Amino acid sequence: MRATLLSETIKAVYRSPSKRSICAEGAPGGGKTSIIRQVADDLGVAYIERHMPTMLVEDFGVPYPSADGSSLTYKLPDWFPRKDDPNTPTEGILCFDDRNQAPADLQKVLANIVQARNLHGVALPDGWMVVSTGNRQSVRAGANRVLSHLRNRETVVELETHLEDWTRWAGNNGVRPEVIGFI
């Protein structure tokens, strides 16, 4: 799928009632994350990005005792968009960058967010969509095998890079003509 089609696909799925999770896979440096960020900007919605290879399971919440000590609850990270938080924007894209480089324990947490649309029982707002990026294992960019239950819970699309797409983007974004000509 070319960059322009990926952008239009994410926008169409975002506008749908299901807001099914999408994972854009492709070669490193192809612009996957930039495209998703641009889509959020085009839609005028909030954008949160987390780089999965640098995260720990604890970054998704830690058990915390209740005031009376009789039970545990989770302290959630401040970056997670919560449906019950009036300060959370009602619409947005939550991007998990390089999810293929995440170890299995993080992929399990992500699979729950993708399917149940919640983190430790705290719901994601209805106007939010989860989008991930990843490199193919075949390009040897540190990608791990994606757990099948995560892969089955999202629509995986392959980003293909094309010279014409890049030169159009470069011309519209102030890249010097000498650089475009060299490429």
Side-chain angles (χ1 to χ4, degrees), residues 69-105:
S70 65
S71 63
L72 292 175
T73 180
Y74 276 89
K75 288 284 188 182
L76 295 185
D78 61 355
W79 56 263
F80 185 76
R82 301 171 57 126
K83 187 175 188 173
D84 64 358
D85 180 3
N87 296 320
T88 296
T90 57
E91 296 183 310
I93 293 177
L94 178 56
C95 178
F96 292 104
D97 190 33
D98 284 330
R99 74 105 162 85
N100 297 28
Q101 292 183 20
D105 57 347

Side-chain angles (χ1 to χ4, degrees), residues 161-177:
T161 55
H162 289 272
L163 179 61
E164 305 85 48
D165 292 344
W166 184 84
T167 54
R168 186 177 317 109
W169 173 87
N172 292 334
N173 286 278
V175 175
R176 294 180 58 97

Side-chain angles (χ1 to χ4, degrees), residues 28 53 98 100-102 135-137 139-145:
D98 284 330
N100 297 28
Q101 292 183 20
N135 299 320
R136 297 182 299 258
Q137 279 187 293
V139 297
R140 297 183 177 160
N144 298 316
R145 185 183 72 79

